[in-house]
Amino acid sequence: MAVGTALGIALATLVILSVSNETRASAPGAVIALYATLGIAFLLFYRLRVTVEPDAIRAVFGIGLVRKKVPMADIVRADVVRTRVWWGYGIHWTPSGWLYNVAGRYAVRLEVQAGRAVMIGTDEPEALKAAIDARLAGLGR
């Protein structure tokens, strides 16, 4: 996400420098809005912290305003998956379920009893799967 934000800032700067002074003067707030949007997106999604708790798996993005909770009781199984390049990053629907990811190509796919599968991106997929499997075993599954 940091690399994407840096590229976005670089492209925004190129766009701003490529327009005439008259164009910039006609919409002075546009420059501020452009950089503010990139900055806010970075704060909301610059990292993904995943915790396996006794009752749920929690995925918290950035400064903590965006989050996902999957109750342990709803999880049928967990599998390590490699995400497709074109699925990208962020939060969105994919053919394999909802994806929550900020970097990398690996995720743990959680098959839930009712509803769509959830994939949580991680740079340590085997460790996350092992922690989830241990919690599920503790619940008798």
Side-chain angles (χ1 to χ4, degrees):
M1 291 305 280
V3 171
T5 302
L7 288 174
I9 290 171
L11 288 173
T13 302
L14 286 173
V15 168
I16 290 166
L17 293 175
S18 70
V19 298
S20 68
N21 289 334
E22 294 81 21
T23 302
R24 279 194 299 268
S26 68
V31 173
I32 294 169
L34 183 59
Y35 286 115
T37 300
L38 289 167
I40 289 169
F42 179 73
L43 287 174
L44 291 176
F45 295 101
Y46 73 93
R47 74 172 178 177
L48 175 59
R49 185 179 29 151
V50 180
T51 56
V52 179
E53 299 174 356
D55 64 332
I57 297 168
R58 296 183 194 277
V60 179
F61 285 91
I63 58 175
L65 295 178
V66 180
R67 53 186 65 220
K68 174 68 177 171
K69 174 184 169 185
V70 181
M72 208 51 86
D74 292 350
I75 299 172
V76 175
R77 70 181 224 207
D79 296 302
V80 172
V81 296
R82 183 173 166 105
T83 61
R84 307 280 188 214
V85 171
W86 55 88
W87 290 354
Y89 304 118
I91 302 170
H92 53 276
W93 172 250
T94 73
S96 292
W98 282 98
L99 175 63
Y100 297 79
N101 196 10
V102 296
R105 297 272 315 279
Y106 288 94
V108 173
R109 185 175 188 272
L110 305 174
E111 187 177 320
V112 294
Q113 291 176 354
R116 307 280 188 204
V118 175
M119 292 182 291
I120 300 176
T122 177
D123 55 354
E124 299 178 9
E126 297 297 336
L128 178 56
K129 180 186 181 325
I132 294 167
D133 287 346
R135 284 297 309 135
L136 292 176
L139 296 173
R141 287 192 261 147

